Amino acid sequence: MNPQHLREAMFWTAIGEGNDGLVQCDLCPHYCSLRDGQTGFCKVRKNIGGRLYSLNYGVVSSIAIDPIEKKPLYRFNPGTDILSIGSVGCNFACKFCQNYTISKEFELHPEVNVNRYERVDPETIIELTKREGLNQIAFTYNEPTVFYELVYETAKLAKKAGIKVVLVTNGFINEGPLVQLMPYIDAMNIDVKTYDDRLYDQVIHGSLDPVLHSLKLAVRHGIHVEVTCLIVPKLFEDKILSERLFKRIYETAGDVVVHLSRYFPRYHYDEPATDISYMIDLQEAARKYFTHVFLGNV
């Protein structure tokens, strides 16, 4: 690991007694407890000598200019382009991950040399945004939570420069880090993966309540929020439970924009692509609560 990619992480606690160097990562609800040399669930935060470090600071796997609708955000600056940036790592383990080549980079290739990726700093991102004639940045492709330090530092500079910042996120982040970031965030698309904790745990290795809490906090802080549900077979196959989830999202966040996205086989999940007629049924169910319900990938 090249030292230039190491940045001491934010949000961790030394919990070891004596000289064992045990630390707890406080960034997300996994609360990984790590001994010296161990990495967290995300594979990109590591205990080195009794301190927690980000392994992917400034490591950028993808930079592109996208229509903002691709995030997807349909009711936030529609018709505009946005600079999209992604790194490596994730704090979920979705068996159907659509971007597993970057979200699982350190898991699939433990020997990975992150130097093969472009490295940028916050100032460079701001300069690139301006040079391309854009005024908005999206942290996307992989989970922004796990490259929090770069997101946070860039977002603060963006606010000073009058550049808007978007997060495309799974919402699985603790309240403290999220609240600290929120003054610099203008819009979020939050993925809600399924309707109960049992499935969240079995298929994703997460839980629903923290995601809904993030959704509530974002709306409460005046951030523009849209919600995406990837309609994965066996995760959204119960229409009654799906409708209960829509109701719960409405009770949590109000009349947000909802995207129902079609699943296609990917990574370790080989169920057939989502039936479009079923997606239309779910769209009608969601419209009982939300004014804007869009179908994606159809």
Side-chain angles (χ1 to χ4, degrees):
M1 180 66 65
N2 189 319
Q4 71 179 348
H5 294 299
L6 291 178
R7 173 64 65 93
E8 184 166 337
M10 301 170 66
F11 302 105
W12 61 276
T13 306
I15 58 175
E17 296 181 1
N19 297 317
D20 64 4
L22 194 66
V23 304
Q24 175 179 281
C25 180
D26 300 321
L27 181 61
C28 87
H30 286 307
Y31 285 109
C32 294
S33 179
L34 306 171
R35 297 192 181 279
D36 189 17
Q38 289 184 319
T39 55
F41 185 89
C42 63
K43 306 300 183 185
V44 292
R45 300 173 84 78
K46 184 175 184 178
N47 179 344
I48 302 175
R51 306 189 72 82
L52 189 66
Y53 287 87
S54 167
L55 302 181
N56 61 348
Y57 182 85
V59 176
V60 175
S61 62
S62 304
I63 298 181
I65 297 173
D66 292 322
I68 199 165
E69 287 82 3
K70 192 175 177 180
K71 295 305 94 190
L73 288 172
Y74 280 14
R75 307 287 291 184
F76 181 79
N77 295 339
T80 62
D81 288 336
I82 190 165
L83 184 73
S84 297
I85 298 173
S87 184
V88 294
C90 188
N91 58 349
F92 274 175
C94 302
K95 295 180 180 179
F96 49 84
C97 182
Q98 306 295 292
N99 292 315
Y100 70 93
T101 55
I102 58 173
S103 68
K104 298 303 174 190
E105 176 70 289
F106 280 69
E107 181 178 328
L108 294 170
H109 307 289
E111 75 292 346
V112 67
N113 178 4
V114 293
N115 291 322
R116 70 189 179 90
Y117 289 115
E118 184 172 357
R119 180 178 180 269
V120 299
D121 56 27
E123 292 78 10
T124 301
I125 295 172
I126 299 301
E127 290 170 7
L128 177 60
T129 306
K130 292 178 177 178
R131 188 164 66 243
E132 295 294 339
L134 302 173
N135 68 347
Q136 48 195 357
I137 301 167
F139 294 100
T140 179
Y141 302 136
N142 75 308
E143 175 51 46
T145 297
V146 303
F147 59 110
Y148 183 97
E149 291 75 16
L150 182 69
V151 173
Y152 179 66
E153 293 173 14
T154 305
K156 287 200 297 182
L157 291 180
K159 178 66 72 174
K160 292 179 181 178
I163 295 171
K164 297 188 181 301
V165 176
V166 170
L167 293 185
V168 181
T169 175
N170 61 30
F172 198 68
I173 182 173
N174 286 333
E175 180 172 339
L178 182 56
V179 168
Q180 185 162 324
L181 182 60
M182 278 181 169
Y184 311 105
I185 302 302
D186 298 282
M188 298 173 69
N189 185 291
I190 299 178
D191 289 333
V192 179
K193 305 289 187 180
T194 185
Y195 37 65
D196 69 27
D197 277 335
R198 178 183 59 85
L199 290 171
Y200 251 97
D201 181 57
Q202 290 179 351
V203 183
I204 296 158
H205 297 283
S207 53
L208 175 60
D209 283 349
V211 177
L212 294 180
H213 187 60
S214 294
L215 177 59
K216 179 171 67 175
L217 288 173
V219 171
R220 184 178 294 170
H221 280 74
I223 294 171
H224 176 86
V225 175
E226 302 191 18
V227 171
T228 293
C229 298
L230 182 65
I231 308 302
V232 179
K234 297 186 178 178
L235 295 188
F236 269 95
E237 66 183 3
D238 189 312
K239 184 178 177 182
I240 293 175
L241 292 180
S242 297
E243 184 168 338
R244 287 179 186 171
L245 174 64
F246 298 146
K247 181 180 180 182
R248 193 172 176 189
I249 292 171
Y250 176 78
E251 291 171 345
T252 298
D255 189 12
V256 294
V257 177
V258 172
H259 302 266
L260 305 180
S261 188
R262 192 183 188 200
Y263 148 91
F264 290 91
R266 189 82 167 153
Y267 195 31
H268 296 313
Y269 214 80
D270 58 4
E271 294 292 324
T274 318
D275 180 74
I276 294 179
S277 63
Y278 178 66
M279 292 187 63
I280 293 172
D281 288 344
L282 288 187
Q283 183 182 39
E284 291 305 308
R287 281 176 171 163
K288 295 178 183 179
Y289 305 98
F290 307 106
T291 304
H292 302 288
V293 183
F294 300 99
L295 298 184
N297 292 339
V298 294

